[in-house]
Amino acid sequence: MQFNGNAFEADRLKPIDSLNRIPQKLRISITDRCNMHCVYCMPKEGLQLYPKNQILSYEEIQRLAAIFAGLGIKKIRLTGGEPLVRPEIEKLVCALSSIDGIKTISMTTNGLLLNKKAAQLKIAGLHGINVSLDTLKPDRFKSITRIDGLSQILLSLQTARDEGFEIKINTVIIRGQNDDEIVDFAKFAIATGYPVRFIEFMPLDGSHIWNPSLVVTKEEMIQRISQSGLELLPLNNNLSDPARLYAIKDNRATIGFIPSISEPFCGACDRLRLTSDGKFLTCIFERPKNDVKKLIRAGKSDTEIADYLMACYQKKPPGLISLLEHNTLRSGLNLMNTIGG
Ligand code: SAM
Ligand code: SF4
């Protein structure tokens, strides 16, 4: 088997796991650092961060991305920690954009630095941006993120839109924290045109606060929005997109729900993940053990690394469904700031 430049020979098998899932998307966490400390994601103190030399360099990320592209990956999302805290991220975006087979590069960010970076990211070839925003109330924003930054995020959204970016809002709903804002966010989607995607709280919390009673399910959210008088019309969904999309009747707004817990979509999962310290994850709930960085730093060839990735992928676990079956869901199963959501 030959690896030539960016693409494997055409007859190379696509990596299909035991459930016949074909990966198309790769999420790369480019740092475990963050300029916020959201209460459900990162504790304010005591979280062990990786030494900087354990984080993948841009060159290593670019090389791995090209190998993944050779295996059929078409879309890359950069995440973190907070991707925008990594210096000169636009250079990485530019390098990834030039990889054969990669059709889109997008980013998930908390938006704090987006105002400054939006123009450079556009020039570098970034396609879409998801901005995480869990509250529209300034005081609550401060208590959730431990930063006084709501107005900065709203400014960033406007700047990014002016640069021509397609923006989506990610909102994690947690009972007792922000579930009283579900309808406000639906109205925010109407007022601004930004599609809002409501995410069910997952046990991937470095702060170990997750428990099932904090999860507000998709059905409950739909009920609350409907009771407010807004009518939701289901849209045709692409099964590999975890968001279940709805139009709000008589408005040009779209909202979505990511029902990771109440309606796990593991059977249609087409995502792979690379952690900031170079572990390959075939499932968001899998313990990070497949150490690709070790292979790169040991001087292995692209073909050897690709074979390793394929071998790991064949063992992709069934996912959340089996954790639910075995009643093994508990807080802190993985750390979102290292795997990137
Ligand atoms: N810092 C960036 C941000 O906040 O957008 C990127 C990394 S963050 C880990 C990626 C996404 O994961 C964010 O939308 C965040 O709200 C979400 N997230 C973090 N912890 C979560 C959890 N326990 N359950 C569900 N979503 C979570
Ligand atoms: Fe940082 Fe994003 Fe985690 Fe919030 S959710 S602490 S912004 S990595």
Side-chain angles (χ1 to χ4, degrees), residues 40-41 79-83 108-110 132 170 172 199-202 204-205 336 340-341:
Y40 56 85
C41 180
T79 171
E82 173 48 39
T108 301
T109 169
N110 63 30
S132 305
N170 281 356
V172 178
I199 303 173
E200 290 180 359
F201 185 30
M202 291 190 275
L204 301 168
D205 49 332
M336 263 310 199

Short mmCIF file of all heavy atoms in Angstrom, two decimals, residues 40-41 79-83 108-110 132 170 172 199-202 204-205 336 340-341, ligand 1:
data_model
loop_
_atom_site.label_atom_id
_atom_site.label_comp_id
_atom_site.label_asym_id
_atom_site.label_seq_id
_atom_site.Cartn_x
_atom_site.Cartn_y
_atom_site.Cartn_z
N TYR A 40 -19.65 23.86 33.83
CA TYR A 40 -19.94 22.45 33.54
C TYR A 40 -18.79 21.79 32.78
O TYR A 40 -18.84 20.59 32.53
CB TYR A 40 -21.24 22.33 32.73
CG TYR A 40 -21.22 23.14 31.44
CD1 TYR A 40 -20.68 22.62 30.29
CD2 TYR A 40 -21.75 24.42 31.39
CE1 TYR A 40 -20.66 23.35 29.11
CE2 TYR A 40 -21.74 25.17 30.23
CZ TYR A 40 -21.20 24.61 29.10
OH TYR A 40 -21.17 25.35 27.94
N CYS A 41 -17.80 22.56 32.39
CA CYS A 41 -16.74 22.01 31.54
C CYS A 41 -15.40 21.94 32.26
O CYS A 41 -14.79 20.88 32.36
CB CYS A 41 -16.63 22.84 30.26
SG CYS A 41 -15.36 22.28 29.11
N THR A 79 -11.44 22.73 17.39
CA THR A 79 -12.09 23.01 18.65
C THR A 79 -11.04 22.98 19.75
O THR A 79 -9.85 23.06 19.49
CB THR A 79 -13.28 22.00 18.84
OG1 THR A 79 -13.78 22.13 20.15
CG2 THR A 79 -12.90 20.56 18.61
N GLY A 80 -11.47 22.89 21.00
CA GLY A 80 -10.49 22.91 22.09
C GLY A 80 -11.11 22.30 23.34
O GLY A 80 -12.03 21.48 23.22
N GLY A 81 -10.71 22.81 24.45
CA GLY A 81 -10.30 24.11 24.88
C GLY A 81 -10.83 25.21 23.95
O GLY A 81 -11.78 25.01 23.22
N GLU A 82 -10.20 26.32 24.00
CA GLU A 82 -10.63 27.41 23.14
C GLU A 82 -9.64 27.53 21.98
O GLU A 82 -8.49 27.93 22.17
CB GLU A 82 -10.73 28.71 23.94
CG GLU A 82 -11.02 29.94 23.10
CD GLU A 82 -12.17 29.75 22.10
OE1 GLU A 82 -13.17 29.12 22.42
OE2 GLU A 82 -12.03 30.25 20.97
N PRO A 83 -10.07 27.18 20.75
CA PRO A 83 -9.13 27.17 19.64
C PRO A 83 -8.47 28.53 19.38
O PRO A 83 -7.32 28.60 18.96
CB PRO A 83 -9.98 26.73 18.44
CG PRO A 83 -11.39 26.89 18.86
CD PRO A 83 -11.42 26.74 20.34
N THR A 108 -15.44 25.50 16.37
CA THR A 108 -16.34 25.76 17.51
C THR A 108 -15.56 26.60 18.50
O THR A 108 -14.46 26.22 18.90
CB THR A 108 -16.79 24.45 18.17
OG1 THR A 108 -17.47 23.64 17.20
CG2 THR A 108 -17.76 24.72 19.32
N THR A 109 -16.12 27.75 18.85
CA THR A 109 -15.39 28.70 19.70
C THR A 109 -16.34 29.32 20.72
O THR A 109 -17.55 29.39 20.50
CB THR A 109 -14.76 29.82 18.85
OG1 THR A 109 -14.28 30.85 19.72
CG2 THR A 109 -15.74 30.44 17.88
N ASN A 110 -15.77 29.80 21.83
CA ASN A 110 -16.60 30.54 22.77
C ASN A 110 -16.79 31.99 22.32
O ASN A 110 -17.55 32.73 22.93
CB ASN A 110 -16.04 30.47 24.20
CG ASN A 110 -14.66 31.11 24.34
OD1 ASN A 110 -14.31 32.05 23.63
ND2 ASN A 110 -13.88 30.62 25.29
N SER A 132 -20.46 29.11 21.01
CA SER A 132 -21.17 28.55 22.17
C SER A 132 -21.67 29.70 23.04
O SER A 132 -20.89 30.59 23.39
CB SER A 132 -20.23 27.66 22.98
OG SER A 132 -19.70 26.69 22.12
N ASN A 170 -24.40 27.34 19.68
CA ASN A 170 -24.52 26.10 20.46
C ASN A 170 -24.93 26.47 21.88
O ASN A 170 -24.22 27.23 22.54
CB ASN A 170 -23.17 25.40 20.58
CG ASN A 170 -22.81 24.63 19.33
OD1 ASN A 170 -23.58 24.54 18.39
ND2 ASN A 170 -21.61 24.06 19.34
N VAL A 172 -25.86 24.74 25.53
CA VAL A 172 -26.03 23.57 26.39
C VAL A 172 -27.06 23.94 27.47
O VAL A 172 -26.87 24.93 28.18
CB VAL A 172 -24.70 23.17 27.08
CG1 VAL A 172 -24.91 21.98 28.01
CG2 VAL A 172 -23.64 22.86 26.05
N ILE A 199 -28.24 21.78 23.10
CA ILE A 199 -27.50 20.53 23.33
C ILE A 199 -27.88 19.96 24.70
O ILE A 199 -27.87 20.68 25.70
CB ILE A 199 -25.98 20.81 23.30
CG1 ILE A 199 -25.59 21.44 21.95
CG2 ILE A 199 -25.16 19.55 23.56
CD1 ILE A 199 -24.12 21.90 21.88
N GLU A 200 -28.19 18.68 24.72
CA GLU A 200 -28.43 18.03 26.02
C GLU A 200 -27.11 17.88 26.76
O GLU A 200 -26.07 17.54 26.16
CB GLU A 200 -29.07 16.64 25.81
CG GLU A 200 -30.50 16.71 25.32
CD GLU A 200 -31.15 15.34 25.10
OE1 GLU A 200 -30.48 14.30 25.32
OE2 GLU A 200 -32.32 15.32 24.69
N PHE A 201 -27.16 18.14 28.04
CA PHE A 201 -25.96 18.10 28.89
C PHE A 201 -25.42 16.66 28.95
O PHE A 201 -26.15 15.72 29.24
CB PHE A 201 -26.35 18.59 30.29
CG PHE A 201 -25.21 18.73 31.27
CD1 PHE A 201 -23.92 19.04 30.86
CD2 PHE A 201 -25.46 18.58 32.64
CE1 PHE A 201 -22.89 19.18 31.78
CE2 PHE A 201 -24.44 18.73 33.57
CZ PHE A 201 -23.15 19.02 33.13
N MET A 202 -24.12 16.52 28.68
CA MET A 202 -23.52 15.18 28.63
C MET A 202 -22.54 14.98 29.80
O MET A 202 -21.94 15.94 30.29
CB MET A 202 -22.75 15.01 27.32
CG MET A 202 -23.64 14.95 26.11
SD MET A 202 -22.70 14.45 24.66
CE MET A 202 -22.02 15.99 24.13
N LEU A 204 -19.58 14.64 30.27
CA LEU A 204 -18.20 14.82 29.80
C LEU A 204 -17.66 16.07 30.49
O LEU A 204 -17.03 16.92 29.87
CB LEU A 204 -18.19 14.98 28.27
CG LEU A 204 -18.78 13.79 27.52
CD1 LEU A 204 -19.02 14.13 26.06
CD2 LEU A 204 -17.86 12.59 27.62
N ASP A 205 -17.95 16.18 31.75
CA ASP A 205 -17.72 17.40 32.50
C ASP A 205 -16.53 17.26 33.43
O ASP A 205 -16.54 16.43 34.34
CB ASP A 205 -18.98 17.73 33.32
CG ASP A 205 -19.50 16.53 34.12
OD1 ASP A 205 -19.28 15.39 33.68
OD2 ASP A 205 -20.07 16.75 35.19
N MET A 336 -14.24 17.41 28.28
CA MET A 336 -14.59 18.13 27.06
C MET A 336 -13.47 19.08 26.62
O MET A 336 -13.28 19.29 25.44
CB MET A 336 -15.83 18.97 27.28
CG MET A 336 -17.12 18.37 26.84
SD MET A 336 -17.17 17.72 25.19
CE MET A 336 -18.93 17.68 24.96
N GLY A 340 -12.96 18.35 22.99
CA GLY A 340 -13.51 19.37 22.11
C GLY A 340 -14.97 19.27 21.72
O GLY A 340 -15.42 19.99 20.86
N GLY A 341 -15.76 18.41 22.31
CA GLY A 341 -17.19 18.40 22.02
C GLY A 341 -17.52 17.75 20.70
O GLY A 341 -16.66 17.23 20.02
N1 SAM B 1 -14.24 26.47 23.84
C1 SAM B 1 -15.01 26.22 22.68
C2 SAM B 1 -16.48 26.45 22.94
O1 SAM B 1 -16.88 26.54 24.10
O2 SAM B 1 -17.21 26.53 21.96
C3 SAM B 1 -14.79 24.85 22.07
C4 SAM B 1 -14.67 23.69 23.01
S1 SAM B 1 -16.14 23.30 23.92
C5 SAM B 1 -15.60 21.90 24.83
C6 SAM B 1 -17.15 22.63 22.62
C7 SAM B 1 -18.63 22.54 22.93
O3 SAM B 1 -18.84 21.56 23.91
C8 SAM B 1 -19.24 23.83 23.45
O4 SAM B 1 -20.40 24.13 22.68
C9 SAM B 1 -19.62 23.49 24.86
O5 SAM B 1 -20.75 24.19 25.30
C10 SAM B 1 -19.89 22.00 24.73
N2 SAM B 1 -19.82 21.28 26.00
C11 SAM B 1 -18.85 21.38 26.94
N3 SAM B 1 -19.11 20.54 27.96
C12 SAM B 1 -20.28 19.90 27.65
C13 SAM B 1 -21.08 18.90 28.29
N4 SAM B 1 -20.72 18.37 29.45
N5 SAM B 1 -22.21 18.50 27.68
C14 SAM B 1 -22.58 19.02 26.48
N6 SAM B 1 -21.85 19.93 25.82
C15 SAM B 1 -20.72 20.38 26.39
#
